[in-house]
Amino acid sequence: MKILHIDTNHNLLINQLNDLGFTNHEDYTSSKSEIEAKISNYDGIIIRSRFTIDKHFLDKATNLKFIGRVGAGLENIDCEYAEQKDITLIAAPEGNRNAVGEHSLAMLLSLFNKLNKADKEVRQGKWLREANRGVELDGKTIGLIGYGNMGKAFAKKLRGFDVNVICYDIKQNVGDKNATQVTLKELQEKADVLSLHTPQTDLTINMINSNFINDFRKPFWLINTARGKSVLTKDLVKALESGKILGAGLDVLEYEKASFENLFKPQDSSIRLMRKGKKSNLPEAFEYLIQADNVLLSPHVAGWTIESKEKLAQTIVDKIKAKFC
């Protein structure tokens, strides 16, 4: 079987597939149309997020037996059409779930203790203790929406704290010793913190909007390490301004490009203009997030660790081996 790799990954992926007898070709620079022109020569393709695999691409891939996505989500692939063509879809959420759990916890604790704000102030020679008085996690109710690999990993990390962890998921009976499954209404009634661990689907796009936010009984903190398009940014900003949302840790943004790890990148000149107090061409809601002391931002790296790079690759190898060897 011949496999085409169109994104770079940990070396073990190609090395181990070579050892298993697969023929591996690499092409990290050709355009999508150039890849389409030769994809019929391959039995498998390994991607991260370089481009979408749509019906047109799949129609060109006449011999394709599997698609391996070195990551958790498959929304960049027309999964239904691929399955109609008997193409096996392989993802690796097991590979970076621990990293996402740790990052979610790091964001939450940083927000509660105002670490990003305090750090900037100390660097500026400001020693403002009372203004940086923190909030303790103990006694809080943490609500998770989505209780798959990522949600379960975060709940496991929370076991060391005296917190109540509840989860909502469209699947039934997913709760375990680390989180009690509840209805969405109950989660909105009880949660002090909302953490998202959902894939991007028609149900989750713009899920966190004003109506959804206002259904929460109490002001709450938001953590999003899932998908940027799950949160309607302008409605998030309204909630931050009103105090309905106390703070937000965002590893993903609505403004991200289709390639999941490529964060929306405003022009450097726009950032410089904004910092000088001049008008920039950034979305207004994004400008607010950049300047807000109670917002913590990172560039879609929750699952992006040294260890997860290896584990993601190993997971793909193991699943290909189990299916095709």
Side-chain angles (χ1 to χ4, degrees), residues 154-182:
F154 185 32
K156 184 178 178 181
K157 301 302 176 190
L158 291 165
R159 287 173 61 182
F161 297 87
D162 186 14
V163 294
N164 177 37
V165 183
I166 57 178
C167 65
Y168 169 74
D169 197 289
I170 58 173
K171 295 181 180 180
Q172 299 299 313
N173 303 315
V174 297
D176 56 22
K177 63 182 180 180
N178 298 325
T180 302
Q181 187 167 8
V182 298

Side-chain angles (χ1 to χ4, degrees), residues 48-299:
R48 288 203 319 268
S49 308
R50 187 163 149 202
F51 52 67
T52 58
I53 295 186
D54 51 21
K55 287 185 178 181
H56 185 266
F57 185 94
L58 292 169
D59 283 337
K60 298 287 187 179
T62 51
N63 291 305
L64 204 63
K65 297 176 179 61
F66 73 86
I67 301 169
R69 203 237 151 186
V70 188
L74 292 169
E75 58 263 42
N76 221 24
I77 301 167
D78 189 331
C79 297
E80 183 176 348
Y81 195 59
E83 289 169 352
Q84 288 176 16
K85 289 180 164 291
D86 294 322
I87 296 172
T88 299
L89 301 174
I90 300 171
E94 305 90 342
N96 62 357
R97 60 189 175 190
N98 183 72
V100 171
E102 290 190 2
H103 196 94
S104 300
L105 181 58
M107 282 193 139
L108 183 56
L109 292 173
S110 294
L111 285 170
F112 270 33
N113 292 284
K114 302 182 181 179
L115 294 183
N116 57 325
K117 174 178 176 290
D119 176 76
K120 286 189 293 185
E121 290 173 352
V122 172
R123 292 173 189 272
Q124 295 168 2
K126 300 176 182 178
W127 197 259
L128 305 177
R129 298 183 68 207
E130 187 59 38
N132 288 299
R133 189 180 288 274
V135 177
E136 294 184 17
L137 188 54
D138 274 23
K140 303 296 189 293
T141 295
I142 317 299
L144 313 179
I145 294 185
Y147 202 61
N149 280 284
M150 308 306 166
K152 284 180 165 63
F154 185 32
K156 184 178 178 181
K157 301 302 176 190
L158 291 165
R159 287 173 61 182
F161 297 87
D162 186 14
V163 294
N164 177 37
V165 183
I166 57 178
C167 65
Y168 169 74
D169 197 289
I170 58 173
K171 295 181 180 180
Q172 299 299 313
N173 303 315
V174 297
D176 56 22
K177 63 182 180 180
N178 298 325
T180 302
Q181 187 167 8
V182 298
T183 64
L184 180 58
K185 182 178 180 180
E186 184 175 350
L187 185 145
Q188 291 174 316
E189 177 73 17
K190 295 180 176 179
D192 299 295
V193 174
L194 171 63
S195 187
L196 303 181
H197 301 278
T198 49
Q200 183 171 300
T201 68
D202 291 341
L203 290 175
T204 63
I205 292 176
N206 293 338
M207 174 177 65
I208 310 301
N209 53 38
S210 289
N211 290 335
F212 186 94
I213 292 167
N214 291 332
D215 282 339
F216 279 74
R217 183 176 65 85
K218 300 180 285 186
F220 64 96
W221 304 78
L222 174 67
I223 304 293
N224 186 13
T225 55
R227 291 289 179 249
K229 290 180 174 58
S230 294
V231 177
L232 197 59
T233 311
K234 63 182 182 65
D235 289 2
L236 166 62
V237 168
K238 289 178 185 177
L240 287 164
E241 290 176 325
S242 71
K244 183 66 177 186
I245 291 182
L246 300 169
L250 308 173
D251 180 54
V252 288
L253 291 173
E254 180 182 357
Y255 312 106
E256 289 184 57
K257 298 177 182 179
S259 183
F260 302 139
E261 81 254 12
N262 290 333
L263 184 70
F264 167 72
K265 295 177 180 177
Q267 295 297 317
D268 289 345
S269 58
S270 297
I271 293 286
R272 288 195 296 270
L273 284 171
M274 186 185 64
R275 287 176 177 167
K276 293 177 180 178
K278 299 177 182 178
K279 186 175 178 60
S280 78
N281 60 2
L282 294 174
E284 185 177 348
F286 187 47
E287 289 188 15
Y288 179 93
L289 297 180
I290 290 173
Q291 298 179 65
D293 285 332
N294 60 341
V295 174
L296 189 61
L297 302 169
S298 58

